[in-house]
Amino acid sequence: MRIGVFVCHCGTNIAATVDSEGIAARAGELKGVVHTEDIIYTCSEPGQHAIQRAIREKDLDRVVVAACSPHMHEVTFRRTVEGAGLNPYLFEMANIREHCSWIHADKPEGSEKAYDLIKMAVAKVRDLEPLYANEVEVNKDVLVIGGGVAGIQAALDLAEAGLKVTVVEKETTIGGTMAQLDKTFPTIDCSACILTPRMVDCSQHENIEIMAYSEIDRVQGYVGNFTVDIRKKASMVDWDKCIGCELCQQKCPAKAPDAFNEGIATTKAIYIPFPQAVPKRAAIQVDYCRWFQEGKCRVCERVCPADAIDYKQQDEYVQKEFGAIVVATGQDVFPWEEYYHEYGSGRIPDVISGLQYERMLNASGPTHGHVLRPSTMGQKDVEPEEPQTVVFIQCIGSRDESVGRPYCSNVCCMYTAKQAILTKDHVGMETEVYVFYIDIRAFGKGYEEFVKRAQTEFGVKYVRGRVSKLYEERGKVKVRGMDTLLGKQVEIDADLVVLASGITAADGASELAQRLNISYDQYGFFKESHPKLRPLETNTAGIFLAGACQAPKDIPTTVAQASGTAAKVLGLLAKDKLKTSPMIARVDQNRCVSCWKCIEVCPFGAPEKEELRDGSYKSHIIETVCQGCGICVATCPVNCIDLKGFGTQSVLDQIEEVLLT
Amino acid sequence: MAQATDITTGTTASWDGEGRVKVVGILCNWCSYAGADGAGTARLRQPFDFRIVRVPCTGRIDPLHILKAFEKGADGVLVSGCHPGDCHYAEGNYYARRKLELLERMLPQLGFEAERFKYTWVSASEAQRWQQVVTEFIKGVEKLGPREGRAL
């Protein structure tokens, strides 16, 4: 055995706390090691060439690189050794940066530990054997989960490139949060004017199938070959017949909360969320329907010209196959009522969220674009009033550790500036508009200029400081806060207060992540594979991210990311066959006792009963199905299964080597 | 005894030295190993007396691996994987949990102090939690000191 050990300095990232040169020299004493070298930057071109040169000149048959985490550069170095003619799986990394130099300060200690980690890697590499990747056929259809602007963009890009795309949307229409917006910053473009044509493009594209009012029930399989169960929720309306005429909604006698209008208006028990909905199909909210609740009514059935109402409709399950999955499930608005009791917990009618205000500003919204005080709306003998003083408060559920949201929501500074401008535009320039802020984050193209415009051109008054309390007094909302620049208490009698509610992970995000086997952070946002190098991929091969489900994002970033993700999917599916990891389980059939425990525990269905020539049955792992988790290995009662690349012997040898000092 | 000599200061350190304990970590690749990476990237200081073995999934761990570590002289063993429900392989950590729970209850009967073994869940985004978990665990082992005779 001829092992080469290469110890990286990573500039001073490693060398500051680890004596790379010294431990490289010492590694020469380890069993099987015939060559050692310390390299300033091992991942650089000269560094990789040095490894390849040593493999050729010293005839190395195994390589250990002691550098950063294998999550960082294992793939890089496997390619390096393969380039020199060595099997890429005869390679092991010792993580002496993330797990050593970066967490210790003392150089002798750091060096000692780094040396131990190299010993372990050398012990492991001695146990490795050459492995060869298998190939599987690839299904070229793509599933896009979520039909907001991210999902729409990804679906259109993929469909344009010729792939078949299925968009699964949990609401009855695609469009997502962007469909609720009135205008978009910093251009004050009409949101619907940009979005709805894209929605129609989606529905008319020959390569796109939209499954609205549907959710992901189960995901099985692996990259290139996912099997997904989709639940089509019962809408109580036969969508093949429904023509979207809205007659049912007009005649329905039962009121229901209007989620699309963020609850500032009511809709009917049978409803279509908005006029430009795609698909434009009605659905019954069973909890509010008189027929379902009281057993009489059936008005919608009588008025429907298409005979589409079907009170007996049940959820339907559809199974489909895909090669790749794009997750674009977006975000929710932070539920401020549950957290900000000093702002009235939602009991003060004239304190509303940013998205509620957005619906009010919208010409197709419940007030037809008129800005009104909610306390004066919908009452007998009271003429709805326009507010004369409007106060915006920033960072509601953002940058606030006391409500468990220390992160910045990215969009609120800008949407508040937009809404402040629109307030002046809708109500009149004489309206007093105040914005309480912590810092203004105007980082995007044209953003800083936009905020400046709000301040100078529209005269919006920005007050740096937090509002401590909101309460009702003599028909006004008292705003009590601090101007930290003047160092003074401020009190404003407001007619309307708009809270810039931040972005929170979508309801059900963690459950979906568990179905997909992808990671998520403590806030419920999905975790990318690497924040800089693999920002569009998840750690589960074949599953990609787009939009605010990954982190709070504005529309330009979301769309850019969605297109980037589509390109990633195209790159993956451009191949007809995919190489599968050869680091999988293998059965020693001579020792198999046919207990089938492995079949019981495998989450993927990889082990199967194989008939041998003598008519007996033994376990056999289907190579292209096995994902290499090793559950069966730890379960087999006779230890006849081993995991290539993570063999039992290699685990034990690492432990033994490091403990025998 | 293995020693490293720092060429700049001439001082040496050793895992076997006075007051040292030997703790082995067995971490799943997708959550805890990545969480430990994150802790490194964030430069979160951690105790020195800890060596990590990477496995694809906690479901791949045989309790015998842990006993083997004790047999070879470990003073403590820490196993960490994805939170229940978040396993990269869907259910590997559920199998691990059953086995490790049994092992945890069995070890005191074999004469091991409870603080010498722990299994826990740390996700890839919980760098700070990782620092806490590993620091507290090693503190507990340090309090007990090296195991008598260091053989099983």
Side-chain angles (χ1 to χ4, degrees), chain B residues 87-125:
Chain B
C87 176
H88 183 76
Y89 304 103
E91 48 204 42
N93 52 4
Y94 291 137
Y95 290 107
R97 185 166 61 177
R98 290 188 201 174
K99 293 176 190 165
L100 297 173
E101 183 61 34
L102 274 177
L103 181 73
E104 192 177 79
R105 293 176 194 197
M106 196 183 92
L107 283 172
Q109 298 171 31
L110 293 173
F112 288 86
E113 295 92 339
E115 293 83 359
R116 294 204 187 271
F117 172 72
K118 183 184 169 76
Y119 70 92
T120 185
W121 321 115
V122 175
S123 84
S125 59

mmCIF file of all heavy atoms in Angstrom, chain B residues 87-125:
data_model
loop_
_atom_site.group_PDB
_atom_site.id
_atom_site.type_symbol
_atom_site.label_atom_id
_atom_site.label_comp_id
_atom_site.label_asym_id
_atom_site.label_seq_id
_atom_site.Cartn_x
_atom_site.Cartn_y
_atom_site.Cartn_z
ATOM 1 N N CYS B 87 -34.476 13.330 9.237
ATOM 2 C CA CYS B 87 -33.384 12.490 8.728
ATOM 3 C C CYS B 87 -33.280 12.605 7.216
ATOM 4 O O CYS B 87 -34.285 12.570 6.510
ATOM 5 C CB CYS B 87 -33.631 11.032 9.117
ATOM 6 S SG CYS B 87 -32.427 9.881 8.467
ATOM 7 N N HIS B 88 -32.052 12.749 6.738
ATOM 8 C CA HIS B 88 -31.803 12.823 5.291
ATOM 9 C C HIS B 88 -32.302 11.553 4.595
ATOM 10 O O HIS B 88 -32.684 11.578 3.440
ATOM 11 C CB HIS B 88 -30.305 13.004 5.068
ATOM 12 C CG HIS B 88 -29.919 13.155 3.637
ATOM 13 N ND1 HIS B 88 -30.119 14.322 2.933
ATOM 14 C CD2 HIS B 88 -29.360 12.295 2.753
ATOM 15 C CE1 HIS B 88 -29.683 14.167 1.697
ATOM 16 N NE2 HIS B 88 -29.227 12.951 1.564
ATOM 17 N N TYR B 89 -32.265 10.453 5.319
ATOM 18 C CA TYR B 89 -32.743 9.179 4.762
ATOM 19 C C TYR B 89 -34.112 8.817 5.339
ATOM 20 O O TYR B 89 -34.430 7.649 5.519
ATOM 21 C CB TYR B 89 -31.735 8.082 5.067
ATOM 22 C CG TYR B 89 -30.348 8.382 4.560
ATOM 23 C CD1 TYR B 89 -29.349 8.802 5.419
ATOM 24 C CD2 TYR B 89 -30.040 8.261 3.202
ATOM 25 C CE1 TYR B 89 -28.066 9.085 4.952
ATOM 26 C CE2 TYR B 89 -28.765 8.539 2.728
ATOM 27 C CZ TYR B 89 -27.790 8.956 3.610
ATOM 28 O OH TYR B 89 -26.527 9.233 3.144
ATOM 29 N N ALA B 90 -34.859 9.807 5.705
ATOM 30 C CA ALA B 90 -36.238 9.671 6.166
ATOM 31 C C ALA B 90 -36.380 9.114 7.582
ATOM 32 O O ALA B 90 -37.039 9.698 8.421
ATOM 33 C CB ALA B 90 -37.082 8.848 5.187
ATOM 34 N N GLU B 91 -35.750 7.960 7.866
ATOM 35 C CA GLU B 91 -36.039 7.360 9.172
ATOM 36 C C GLU B 91 -34.854 6.715 9.874
ATOM 37 O O GLU B 91 -35.028 6.028 10.867
ATOM 38 C CB GLU B 91 -37.181 6.343 9.026
ATOM 39 C CG GLU B 91 -37.002 5.375 7.880
ATOM 40 C CD GLU B 91 -38.343 4.798 7.410
ATOM 41 O OE1 GLU B 91 -39.314 5.558 7.315
ATOM 42 O OE2 GLU B 91 -38.397 3.588 7.159
ATOM 43 N N GLY B 92 -33.652 6.992 9.378
ATOM 44 C CA GLY B 92 -32.464 6.376 9.977
ATOM 45 C C GLY B 92 -32.303 6.701 11.451
ATOM 46 O O GLY B 92 -31.961 5.839 12.263
ATOM 47 N N ASN B 93 -32.591 7.966 11.809
ATOM 48 C CA ASN B 93 -32.371 8.357 13.208
ATOM 49 C C ASN B 93 -33.414 7.734 14.148
ATOM 50 O O ASN B 93 -33.182 7.624 15.340
ATOM 51 C CB ASN B 93 -32.289 9.878 13.366
ATOM 52 C CG ASN B 93 -33.459 10.599 12.753
ATOM 53 O OD1 ASN B 93 -34.389 9.970 12.253
ATOM 54 N ND2 ASN B 93 -33.426 11.925 12.778
ATOM 55 N N TYR B 94 -34.553 7.318 13.608
ATOM 56 C CA TYR B 94 -35.522 6.606 14.460
ATOM 57 C C TYR B 94 -34.952 5.255 14.891
ATOM 58 O O TYR B 94 -35.070 4.854 16.052
ATOM 59 C CB TYR B 94 -36.845 6.372 13.724
ATOM 60 C CG TYR B 94 -37.635 7.634 13.470
ATOM 61 C CD1 TYR B 94 -38.250 7.849 12.246
ATOM 62 C CD2 TYR B 94 -37.786 8.602 14.457
ATOM 63 C CE1 TYR B 94 -38.984 8.998 12.006
ATOM 64 C CE2 TYR B 94 -38.512 9.752 14.227
ATOM 65 C CZ TYR B 94 -39.119 9.947 12.996
ATOM 66 O OH TYR B 94 -39.834 11.082 12.764
ATOM 67 N N TYR B 95 -34.324 4.564 13.920
ATOM 68 C CA TYR B 95 -33.701 3.280 14.274
ATOM 69 C C TYR B 95 -32.570 3.510 15.265
ATOM 70 O O TYR B 95 -32.387 2.764 16.222
ATOM 71 C CB TYR B 95 -33.186 2.573 13.015
ATOM 72 C CG TYR B 95 -34.296 2.074 12.140
ATOM 73 C CD1 TYR B 95 -34.610 2.698 10.936
ATOM 74 C CD2 TYR B 95 -35.068 0.977 12.518
ATOM 75 C CE1 TYR B 95 -35.650 2.258 10.135
ATOM 76 C CE2 TYR B 95 -36.118 0.521 11.727
ATOM 77 C CZ TYR B 95 -36.398 1.166 10.533
ATOM 78 O OH TYR B 95 -37.425 0.725 9.760
ATOM 79 N N ALA B 96 -31.808 4.595 15.007
ATOM 80 C CA ALA B 96 -30.692 4.906 15.901
ATOM 81 C C ALA B 96 -31.210 5.173 17.306
ATOM 82 O O ALA B 96 -30.647 4.694 18.297
ATOM 83 C CB ALA B 96 -29.932 6.121 15.372
ATOM 84 N N ARG B 97 -32.290 5.945 17.379
ATOM 85 C CA ARG B 97 -32.809 6.344 18.692
ATOM 86 C C ARG B 97 -33.160 5.129 19.543
ATOM 87 O O ARG B 97 -32.843 5.068 20.727
ATOM 88 C CB ARG B 97 -34.035 7.240 18.504
ATOM 89 C CG ARG B 97 -34.579 7.800 19.795
ATOM 90 C CD ARG B 97 -35.551 8.921 19.557
ATOM 91 N NE ARG B 97 -36.706 8.473 18.787
ATOM 92 C CZ ARG B 97 -37.736 9.278 18.487
ATOM 93 N NH1 ARG B 97 -37.710 10.544 18.854
ATOM 94 N NH2 ARG B 97 -38.753 8.829 17.803
ATOM 95 N N ARG B 98 -33.811 4.140 18.923
ATOM 96 C CA ARG B 98 -34.173 2.939 19.690
ATOM 97 C C ARG B 98 -32.954 2.255 20.257
ATOM 98 O O ARG B 98 -32.902 1.875 21.424
ATOM 99 C CB ARG B 98 -34.905 1.943 18.780
ATOM 100 C CG ARG B 98 -36.267 2.395 18.386
ATOM 101 C CD ARG B 98 -36.950 1.269 17.669
ATOM 102 N NE ARG B 98 -38.033 1.786 16.855
ATOM 103 C CZ ARG B 98 -38.745 1.035 16.020
ATOM 104 N NH1 ARG B 98 -38.453 -0.245 15.895
ATOM 105 N NH2 ARG B 98 -39.719 1.550 15.329
ATOM 106 N N LYS B 99 -31.960 2.075 19.394
ATOM 107 C CA LYS B 99 -30.767 1.340 19.832
ATOM 108 C C LYS B 99 -30.000 2.124 20.881
ATOM 109 O O LYS B 99 -29.539 1.570 21.877
ATOM 110 C CB LYS B 99 -29.852 1.086 18.632
ATOM 111 C CG LYS B 99 -30.437 0.141 17.612
ATOM 112 C CD LYS B 99 -29.509 0.040 16.423
ATOM 113 C CE LYS B 99 -30.178 -0.694 15.286
ATOM 114 N NZ LYS B 99 -29.483 -0.526 14.026
ATOM 115 N N LEU B 100 -29.843 3.427 20.621
ATOM 116 C CA LEU B 100 -29.002 4.232 21.508
ATOM 117 C C LEU B 100 -29.675 4.456 22.856
ATOM 118 O O LEU B 100 -29.009 4.549 23.881
ATOM 119 C CB LEU B 100 -28.656 5.559 20.836
ATOM 120 C CG LEU B 100 -27.837 5.390 19.542
ATOM 121 C CD1 LEU B 100 -27.677 6.730 18.821
ATOM 122 C CD2 LEU B 100 -26.480 4.779 19.816
ATOM 123 N N GLU B 101 -30.998 4.509 22.842
ATOM 124 C CA GLU B 101 -31.722 4.646 24.100
ATOM 125 C C GLU B 101 -31.473 3.411 24.975
ATOM 126 O O GLU B 101 -31.217 3.520 26.168
ATOM 127 C CB GLU B 101 -33.221 4.822 23.807
ATOM 128 C CG GLU B 101 -34.102 5.049 25.024
ATOM 129 C CD GLU B 101 -33.750 6.299 25.813
ATOM 130 O OE1 GLU B 101 -33.326 7.296 25.200
ATOM 131 O OE2 GLU B 101 -33.877 6.253 27.054
ATOM 132 N N LEU B 102 -31.525 2.252 24.340
ATOM 133 C CA LEU B 102 -31.247 1.011 25.078
ATOM 134 C C LEU B 102 -29.821 1.000 25.600
ATOM 135 O O LEU B 102 -29.563 0.658 26.749
ATOM 136 C CB LEU B 102 -31.462 -0.204 24.165
ATOM 137 C CG LEU B 102 -32.881 -0.742 24.090
ATOM 138 C CD1 LEU B 102 -32.945 -1.887 23.089
ATOM 139 C CD2 LEU B 102 -33.327 -1.237 25.466
ATOM 140 N N LEU B 103 -28.898 1.405 24.728
ATOM 141 C CA LEU B 103 -27.492 1.413 25.125
ATOM 142 C C LEU B 103 -27.282 2.359 26.301
ATOM 143 O O LEU B 103 -26.574 2.031 27.255
ATOM 144 C CB LEU B 103 -26.620 1.853 23.942
ATOM 145 C CG LEU B 103 -25.120 1.884 24.242
ATOM 146 C CD1 LEU B 103 -24.559 0.477 24.335
ATOM 147 C CD2 LEU B 103 -24.361 2.681 23.198
ATOM 148 N N GLU B 104 -27.939 3.528 26.218
ATOM 149 C CA GLU B 104 -27.790 4.522 27.278
ATOM 150 C C GLU B 104 -28.221 3.953 28.629
ATOM 151 O O GLU B 104 -27.629 4.236 29.659
ATOM 152 C CB GLU B 104 -28.622 5.760 26.933
ATOM 153 C CG GLU B 104 -28.335 6.955 27.797
ATOM 154 C CD GLU B 104 -29.137 8.170 27.356
ATOM 155 O OE1 GLU B 104 -30.337 8.239 27.698
ATOM 156 O OE2 GLU B 104 -28.592 9.013 26.646
ATOM 157 N N ARG B 105 -29.283 3.148 28.594
ATOM 158 C CA ARG B 105 -29.754 2.560 29.856
ATOM 159 C C ARG B 105 -28.894 1.395 30.316
ATOM 160 O O ARG B 105 -28.828 1.074 31.494
ATOM 161 C CB ARG B 105 -31.191 2.066 29.684
ATOM 162 C CG ARG B 105 -32.137 3.218 29.467
ATOM 163 C CD ARG B 105 -33.519 2.737 29.211
ATOM 164 N NE ARG B 105 -34.323 3.828 28.682
ATOM 165 C CZ ARG B 105 -35.640 3.820 28.662
ATOM 166 N NH1 ARG B 105 -36.309 2.794 29.126
ATOM 167 N NH2 ARG B 105 -36.292 4.842 28.158
ATOM 168 N N MET B 106 -28.245 0.755 29.329
ATOM 169 C CA MET B 106 -27.459 -0.424 29.650
ATOM 170 C C MET B 106 -26.096 -0.060 30.231
ATOM 171 O O MET B 106 -25.580 -0.749 31.109
ATOM 172 C CB MET B 106 -27.280 -1.238 28.375
ATOM 173 C CG MET B 106 -26.824 -2.641 28.572
ATOM 174 S SD MET B 106 -26.601 -3.413 26.970
ATOM 175 C CE MET B 106 -24.895 -3.063 26.668
ATOM 176 N N LEU B 107 -25.516 1.045 29.737
ATOM 177 C CA LEU B 107 -24.142 1.392 30.125
ATOM 178 C C LEU B 107 -23.940 1.520 31.647
ATOM 179 O O LEU B 107 -22.962 0.977 32.169
ATOM 180 C CB LEU B 107 -23.693 2.662 29.398
ATOM 181 C CG LEU B 107 -23.302 2.434 27.930
ATOM 182 C CD1 LEU B 107 -23.069 3.767 27.217
ATOM 183 C CD2 LEU B 107 -22.077 1.546 27.804
ATOM 184 N N PRO B 108 -24.848 2.196 32.366
ATOM 185 C CA PRO B 108 -24.654 2.272 33.824
ATOM 186 C C PRO B 108 -24.621 0.895 34.472
ATOM 187 O O PRO B 108 -23.912 0.676 35.458
ATOM 188 C CB PRO B 108 -25.858 3.085 34.301
ATOM 189 C CG PRO B 108 -26.256 3.899 33.119
ATOM 190 C CD PRO B 108 -25.978 3.026 31.938
ATOM 191 N N GLN B 109 -25.392 -0.052 33.896
ATOM 192 C CA GLN B 109 -25.385 -1.397 34.463
ATOM 193 C C GLN B 109 -24.050 -2.079 34.263
ATOM 194 O O GLN B 109 -23.692 -3.029 34.947
ATOM 195 C CB GLN B 109 -26.493 -2.243 33.838
ATOM 196 C CG GLN B 109 -27.871 -1.682 34.129
ATOM 197 C CD GLN B 109 -28.946 -2.386 33.337
ATOM 198 O OE1 GLN B 109 -28.830 -3.561 33.033
ATOM 199 N NE2 GLN B 109 -30.004 -1.665 33.011
ATOM 200 N N LEU B 110 -23.299 -1.601 33.252
ATOM 201 C CA LEU B 110 -21.967 -2.164 33.013
ATOM 202 C C LEU B 110 -20.914 -1.418 33.810
ATOM 203 O O LEU B 110 -19.719 -1.653 33.656
ATOM 204 C CB LEU B 110 -21.622 -2.074 31.526
ATOM 205 C CG LEU B 110 -22.464 -2.931 30.580
ATOM 206 C CD1 LEU B 110 -22.116 -2.605 29.137
ATOM 207 C CD2 LEU B 110 -22.248 -4.410 30.844
ATOM 208 N N GLY B 111 -21.373 -0.430 34.591
ATOM 209 C CA GLY B 111 -20.418 0.291 35.434
ATOM 210 C C GLY B 111 -19.965 1.622 34.870
ATOM 211 O O GLY B 111 -19.045 2.239 35.402
ATOM 212 N N PHE B 112 -20.602 2.078 33.774
ATOM 213 C CA PHE B 112 -20.230 3.378 33.212
ATOM 214 C C PHE B 112 -21.071 4.476 33.849
ATOM 215 O O PHE B 112 -22.275 4.307 34.032
ATOM 216 C CB PHE B 112 -20.486 3.413 31.704
ATOM 217 C CG PHE B 112 -19.521 2.591 30.928
ATOM 218 C CD1 PHE B 112 -19.737 1.242 30.726
ATOM 219 C CD2 PHE B 112 -18.393 3.176 30.392
ATOM 220 C CE1 PHE B 112 -18.851 0.476 30.005
ATOM 221 C CE2 PHE B 112 -17.491 2.414 29.667
ATOM 222 C CZ PHE B 112 -17.721 1.055 29.468
ATOM 223 N N GLU B 113 -20.438 5.603 34.154
ATOM 224 C CA GLU B 113 -21.212 6.747 34.601
ATOM 225 C C GLU B 113 -22.050 7.248 33.422
ATOM 226 O O GLU B 113 -21.585 7.242 32.283
ATOM 227 C CB GLU B 113 -20.291 7.876 35.086
ATOM 228 C CG GLU B 113 -19.476 7.526 36.309
ATOM 229 C CD GLU B 113 -18.110 6.937 35.965
ATOM 230 O OE1 GLU B 113 -17.933 6.437 34.824
ATOM 231 O OE2 GLU B 113 -17.219 6.974 36.825
ATOM 232 N N ALA B 114 -23.274 7.703 33.734
ATOM 233 C CA ALA B 114 -24.203 8.112 32.679
ATOM 234 C C ALA B 114 -23.616 9.235 31.821
ATOM 235 O O ALA B 114 -23.900 9.335 30.623
ATOM 236 C CB ALA B 114 -25.520 8.553 33.294
ATOM 237 N N GLU B 115 -22.775 10.091 32.432
ATOM 238 C CA GLU B 115 -22.247 11.251 31.699
ATOM 239 C C GLU B 115 -21.245 10.866 30.613
ATOM 240 O O GLU B 115 -20.790 11.725 29.863
ATOM 241 C CB GLU B 115 -21.577 12.232 32.671
ATOM 242 C CG GLU B 115 -22.512 12.913 33.641
ATOM 243 C CD GLU B 115 -22.827 12.062 34.868
ATOM 244 O OE1 GLU B 115 -22.326 10.911 34.967
ATOM 245 O OE2 GLU B 115 -23.581 12.534 35.732
ATOM 246 N N ARG B 116 -20.885 9.597 30.549
ATOM 247 C CA ARG B 116 -19.870 9.218 29.564
ATOM 248 C C ARG B 116 -20.462 8.953 28.184
ATOM 249 O O ARG B 116 -19.732 8.785 27.214
ATOM 250 C CB ARG B 116 -19.111 7.985 30.045
ATOM 251 C CG ARG B 116 -18.289 8.266 31.282
ATOM 252 C CD ARG B 116 -17.157 7.291 31.408
ATOM 253 N NE ARG B 116 -16.474 7.448 32.680
ATOM 254 C CZ ARG B 116 -15.449 8.290 32.857
ATOM 255 N NH1 ARG B 116 -15.025 9.030 31.843
ATOM 256 N NH2 ARG B 116 -14.873 8.386 34.027
ATOM 257 N N PHE B 117 -21.765 8.841 28.116
ATOM 258 C CA PHE B 117 -22.372 8.602 26.795
ATOM 259 C C PHE B 117 -23.601 9.480 26.623
ATOM 260 O O PHE B 117 -24.386 9.677 27.559
ATOM 261 C CB PHE B 117 -22.770 7.135 26.635
ATOM 262 C CG PHE B 117 -23.569 6.894 25.381
ATOM 263 C CD1 PHE B 117 -22.947 6.955 24.134
ATOM 264 C CD2 PHE B 117 -24.938 6.655 25.432
ATOM 265 C CE1 PHE B 117 -23.683 6.771 22.978
ATOM 266 C CE2 PHE B 117 -25.678 6.467 24.269
ATOM 267 C CZ PHE B 117 -25.047 6.516 23.036
ATOM 268 N N LYS B 118 -23.742 10.009 25.424
ATOM 269 C CA LYS B 118 -24.920 10.829 25.139
ATOM 270 C C LYS B 118 -25.219 10.722 23.649
ATOM 271 O O LYS B 118 -24.309 10.660 22.823
ATOM 272 C CB LYS B 118 -24.621 12.289 25.495
ATOM 273 C CG LYS B 118 -25.798 13.239 25.301
ATOM 274 C CD LYS B 118 -25.309 14.669 25.613
ATOM 275 C CE LYS B 118 -26.314 15.723 25.209
ATOM 276 N NZ LYS B 118 -27.453 15.840 26.109
ATOM 277 N N TYR B 119 -26.503 10.666 23.318
ATOM 278 C CA TYR B 119 -26.867 10.823 21.910
ATOM 279 C C TYR B 119 -27.793 12.027 21.824
ATOM 280 O O TYR B 119 -28.593 12.286 22.718
ATOM 281 C CB TYR B 119 -27.508 9.557 21.346
ATOM 282 C CG TYR B 119 -28.888 9.239 21.865
ATOM 283 C CD1 TYR B 119 -30.021 9.694 21.209
ATOM 284 C CD2 TYR B 119 -29.056 8.476 23.017
ATOM 285 C CE1 TYR B 119 -31.294 9.407 21.682
ATOM 286 C CE2 TYR B 119 -30.312 8.191 23.503
ATOM 287 C CZ TYR B 119 -31.425 8.650 22.835
ATOM 288 O OH TYR B 119 -32.676 8.376 23.304
ATOM 289 N N THR B 120 -27.630 12.790 20.764
ATOM 290 C CA THR B 120 -28.376 14.045 20.662
ATOM 291 C C THR B 120 -28.624 14.386 19.192
ATOM 292 O O THR B 120 -28.155 13.688 18.295
ATOM 293 C CB THR B 120 -27.593 15.176 21.371
ATOM 294 O OG1 THR B 120 -28.380 16.358 21.362
ATOM 295 C CG2 THR B 120 -26.283 15.455 20.660
ATOM 296 N N TRP B 121 -29.384 15.433 18.984
ATOM 297 C CA TRP B 121 -29.714 15.841 17.613
ATOM 298 C C TRP B 121 -29.301 17.299 17.409
ATOM 299 O O TRP B 121 -29.703 18.172 18.166
ATOM 300 C CB TRP B 121 -31.221 15.695 17.343
ATOM 301 C CG TRP B 121 -31.837 14.472 17.964
ATOM 302 C CD1 TRP B 121 -32.773 14.446 18.938
ATOM 303 C CD2 TRP B 121 -31.559 13.101 17.651
ATOM 304 N NE1 TRP B 121 -33.091 13.157 19.271
ATOM 305 C CE2 TRP B 121 -32.371 12.309 18.496
ATOM 306 C CE3 TRP B 121 -30.710 12.453 16.753
ATOM 307 C CZ2 TRP B 121 -32.351 10.923 18.471
ATOM 308 C CZ3 TRP B 121 -30.703 11.068 16.725
ATOM 309 C CH2 TRP B 121 -31.513 10.323 17.571
ATOM 310 N N VAL B 122 -28.515 17.529 16.395
ATOM 311 C CA VAL B 122 -28.084 18.893 16.054
ATOM 312 C C VAL B 122 -28.185 19.039 14.539
ATOM 313 O O VAL B 122 -27.613 18.235 13.801
ATOM 314 C CB VAL B 122 -26.625 19.155 16.503
ATOM 315 C CG1 VAL B 122 -26.160 20.515 16.029
ATOM 316 C CG2 VAL B 122 -26.501 19.053 18.022
ATOM 317 N N SER B 123 -28.917 20.019 14.076
ATOM 318 C CA SER B 123 -29.101 20.162 12.629
ATOM 319 C C SER B 123 -27.952 20.954 12.024
ATOM 320 O O SER B 123 -27.131 21.544 12.731
ATOM 321 C CB SER B 123 -30.425 20.864 12.325
ATOM 322 O OG SER B 123 -30.261 22.262 12.407
ATOM 323 N N ALA B 124 -27.924 20.973 10.693
ATOM 324 C CA ALA B 124 -26.839 21.634 9.975
ATOM 325 C C ALA B 124 -26.816 23.133 10.232
ATOM 326 O O ALA B 124 -25.802 23.785 10.059
ATOM 327 C CB ALA B 124 -26.976 21.354 8.471
ATOM 328 N N SER B 125 -27.939 23.687 10.668
ATOM 329 C CA SER B 125 -27.969 25.131 10.876
ATOM 330 C C SER B 125 -27.776 25.506 12.348
ATOM 331 O O SER B 125 -27.853 26.666 12.700
ATOM 332 C CB SER B 125 -29.284 25.701 10.356
ATOM 333 O OG SER B 125 -30.369 25.099 11.013
#
